Structure formats: C-alpha cells, structure tokens
Amino acid sequence: MASFKELVFSGVQPTGNLHLGNYLGAITKFVALQNSHDCIYCVVDLHAITVPQDPAALTANIREVTAAFIACGIDPKNHIIFNQSQVPEHAELAWVFNCTARLGWLNRMTQFKEKAGKDRENASVGLYAYPALMAADILVYRATHVPVGEDQKQHLELARDIAQKFNNDFSTSIESNGFGDGFFPLPEPLIQGPATRVMSLRDGTKKMSKSDPSDYSRINLTDDADAIAQKVRKAKTDPEPLPSEEKGLEPRPEADNLVGIYAALSDVSKADVLAEFGGAQFSTFKSALVDLSVAKLGPIGAEMKRLVADPAYIDSVLADGSERAGVLARKNMNAVKDILGFIRR
Ligand code: AQP
C-alpha cells in the first residue's frame, strides 16, 4: 500500500444545540491535533439537509458551529475551517462512491436505522446515502486520520471499505496514472479518552444528542452558568456514593457518565477522578462538576456569542477556508476522473 502524508479531517453537522458530547467527543480532539498535524475541519451542511431544515435556522447554525470551532481554539489561518456546500467536489466524489459502495453495506448502518425509525419508506435517499458522502468528505482530501465520537465508528469502517474497493476496482488505472498501488488511504478513526460517548443527563443508556427533545438531557456550549448548574444538579444519578475503583462504575451508567465527563474536562483518567471522589456523595461531586464545567465552558460560550454577532467575519473565515479546501479537493477529484476514464477540460 502506498504511503500517504498524514492529514486530519473531521466534520460537525450544523443542526443546532452543539453540546458537551460534540465538544468532548470531537472538538477538543480537533484542537489538540492542530499541534501535530495539518487539519481540515468542516461544517457539514450537506449532511444536515438529509433531514428537514428551516433555511434561516440552517444559516444561523452554520455560523454557530464555525464560531464554536474558533471559540474552542481551532486556528482558521494555520488550518482550514469551511462549510461543505462551498466545495462541490464533496458531492461529486460522493456520487462516485454511491457507485462503489454496495447496498448490503449501507443496509447494515445502525445510524440510518435509528434515524429513519419505523417510517423508513419516508426517509430521504440522502439519509440512506449519508455514509458515502461522509467517505467522500474525508477521501476527497485523501485524509489519513479522523477524530470522531464512538457513534461514528461504523461510518468510518465503511469509508475504509469504500477506499479499499475503489483502490482494488481501479488498481490498473491507478497504477497507470502514476499513483502506485492505491489512490486512497484507508482513513483511521481516532476515538480516544474517557468521553468518546457522552450520555444523556436524563438517561445514562442514551447518547447525549442535539435532537433530544429534553434540553435537560444535554449541556449546550452556549448554556450560561445557571443553566449548567441546574442541569448538572438535576442529572439522573443513583443513591450510592461514588466507588473508589473503575469497575464499581460498570453497572451504574449515570455515575459512569458523570465521572467520564469530569475526567475529560479536567484531562485526567476516570481512575484519577475516583481516587479523588471515591466514597463521596453525588451532591459533593456534582458541585465540583458544576464548577469545572462552568470554568471550562463559560469562556467558550461567551466567545461564541461574540463571534456570531459578527456574521461578516464568520462568513469570511468560511470563504477563505473553502477557497483553500477547494484547491486540494479539485486536484484529487481531477485525479479520480482520470482514474475513472472520464474526459475533462
Ligand atoms: N454524545 C456524544 N458523545 C461523544 N461524541 C459525540 N458526537 C456526537 N454526539 C456525541 C460526535 O460529535 C461529532 C459531530 O457530531 P454531528 O453533529 O456531526 O453528528 P451527530 O452524531 O448526529 O450529533 P448528535 O448530537 O447525535 O445529533 P442528532 O441528535 O441529530 O443525532 C461527531 O464526531 C460525533 O461522533
């Protein structure tokens, strides 16, 4: 297999209510990877329209995710921040991948089953083909590393399968076009740390999610100190004190979740948190968690509000990022067209 220059790509959907799960599972990783890699971070607006969106709200949400990226510490000058719909090569490569991926592969995707629910016949074709577009997002840059939450693991495996099948199907043409024994890298998911799957504050068996009808299920990045305090204090727990060992968390999903959140916010392990709080009542632990959450998220929320008040600046960041992303994507898409045998200008 050819060797590829390491490049990081990931995306977040502009579907409102960016929450602690998005922050700990994805955005904090995006920020850290800037020190070691070239990074491309995308507001995936084409993915958002796989379910109905109000146009005005979508515009606001695209700007809000961009603001969150910047407020959390992503540097739009040294790296790339842009929105997907400004680089048409994503959709173009997604079509090629619709012809590479097999129906049987997409039929196994659990996110489609969960999101389509019982009314499958009424789901959009886009929702079904979502993972092929996600593969195109990554591979149109020939990106090698993808930081995501655990819920995206299956989609990443599909992206690897698509890359592998394309490399196999077109191996002769890839070689004759000068790309050695593989055009696409097999992208590696980066799913690490104590909060790869942050759970709902109301139900420790359900993922914290933007679309949960209860706002008390999640901490939003724009929540103020009072809202954070109320949500943490009301978070579901059990009557036992915290255990001193990690295995004591196994049958206690809500306790496990809050300890994982504390660990991720303070950048230590769950074992370290339990070494400090083992034997403590939840009232004590929750007070410490409120203080920590407010200290970490308060400045981010304030900076997001400041940034969204200046839409011209946000739009200029996206325009500049799209321009630079477009140059990279076009070059790779032209190579794909040559490999496929298309005639191009
Ligand atoms: N609860 C979570 N814990 C850890 N990571 C999470 N991510 C999402 N939820 C959690 C990660 O955040 C990144 C961006 O997610 P997204 O907005 O593109 O997609 P999503 O998974 O659809 O987000 P939601 O909040 O779950 O939305 P709905 O309610 O629409 O289903 C991804 O890396 C994701 O893994």
Side-chain angles (χ1 to χ4, degrees):
M1 182 77 188
S3 70
F4 294 88
K5 182 179 172 289
E6 291 199 351
L7 177 66
V8 169
F9 177 92
S10 197
V12 172
Q13 292 191 75
T15 40
N17 299 323
L18 269 186
H19 53 71
L20 190 61
N22 301 129
Y23 176 67
L24 294 177
I27 302 175
T28 54
K29 313 286 171 56
F30 298 1
V31 174
L33 283 159
Q34 296 180 107
N35 298 325
S36 51
H37 289 79
D38 289 332
C39 302
I40 303 177
Y41 296 126
C42 185
V43 185
V44 288
D45 47 13
L46 297 178
H47 284 280
I49 62 162
T50 56
V51 295
Q53 299 293 335
D54 169 65
L58 182 61
T59 306
N61 287 331
I62 292 168
R63 293 192 179 122
E64 189 177 286
V65 174
T66 310
F69 282 172
I70 300 167
C72 290
I74 297 170
D75 176 351
K77 291 239 175 301
N78 284 322
H79 300 274
I80 292 179
I81 296 177
F82 75 108
N83 59 314
Q84 194 183 19
S85 60
Q86 294 206 56
V87 180
E89 286 76 9
H90 287 243
E92 212 175 349
L93 186 59
W95 178 257
V96 175
F97 287 169
N98 281 340
C99 302
T100 306
R102 306 289 93 182
L103 273 182
W105 300 358
L106 287 169
N107 284 340
R108 285 197 287 276
M109 296 297 111
T110 54
Q111 182 173 293
F112 174 74
K113 289 180 194 157
E114 281 162 20
K115 291 204 168 173
K118 290 201 175 69
D119 201 7
R120 228 181 127 108
E121 294 291 306
N122 207 24
S124 72
V125 174
L127 188 65
Y128 184 76
Y130 182 116
L133 176 58
M134 181 166 154
D137 298 335
I138 300 162
L139 293 169
V140 81
Y141 301 101
R142 302 165 94 197
T144 55
H145 292 80
V146 187
V148 281
E150 203 189 74
D151 59 317
Q152 292 301 325
K153 189 163 180 251
Q154 195 185 33
H155 288 166
L156 248 300
E157 280 159 10
L158 187 91
R160 290 169 66 89
D161 289 344
I162 288 175
Q164 181 78 68
K165 182 162 163 50
F166 184 94
N167 286 345
N168 290 345
D169 288 354
F170 298 100
S171 57
T172 310
S173 182
I174 287 170
E175 178 127 38
S176 66
N177 276 283
F179 294 105
D181 61 354
F183 181 70
F184 289 120
L186 306 190
E188 264 182 53
L190 300 174
I191 305 174
Q192 290 144 357
T196 55
R197 189 174 179 83
V198 177
M199 308 309 273
S200 158
L201 299 181
R202 309 302 289 161
D203 177 351
T205 63
K206 264 175 57 186
K207 186 177 86 109
M208 185 178 283
S209 155
K210 294 178 188 133
S211 57
D212 193 313
S214 167
D215 199 48
Y216 276 90
S217 68
R218 65 180 161 262
I219 294 176
N220 302 307
L221 292 188
T222 47
D223 281 345
D224 62 19
D226 284 348
I228 293 174
Q230 267 198 21
K231 288 175 178 182
V232 172
R233 291 212 182 91
K234 281 191 190 248
K236 188 176 167 201
T237 44
D238 55 49
E240 301 300 318
L242 281 170
S244 303
E245 306 277 327
E246 244 184 291
K247 68 175 179 322
L249 291 172
E250 270 166 29
R252 301 172 63 186
E254 283 84 15
D256 187 28
N257 189 37
L258 294 185
V259 169
I261 291 172
Y262 192 101
L265 281 174
S266 49
D267 204 15
V268 299
S269 68
K270 287 190 201 176
D272 292 333
V273 177
L274 295 178
E276 188 180 346
F277 289 98
Q281 296 297 329
F282 271 106
S283 51
T284 309
F285 179 63
K286 281 182 170 180
S287 289
L289 183 55
V290 168
D291 291 345
L292 178 61
S293 306
V294 170
K296 288 276 172 183
L297 301 183
I300 293 173
E303 180 63 0
M304 280 173 69
K305 281 183 195 137
R306 194 186 70 76
L307 288 165
V308 293
D310 187 357
Y313 169 68
I314 300 270
D315 295 0
S316 73
V317 167
L318 293 173
D320 172 62
S322 301
E323 183 90 28
R324 288 186 288 136
V327 171
L328 304 172
R330 244 180 328 273
K331 180 166 173 265
N332 290 332
M333 194 62 218
N334 281 340
V336 168
K337 287 180 181 171
D338 292 344
I339 290 164
L340 290 169
F342 290 165
I343 295 170
R344 61 183 177 87
R345 285 194 298 270

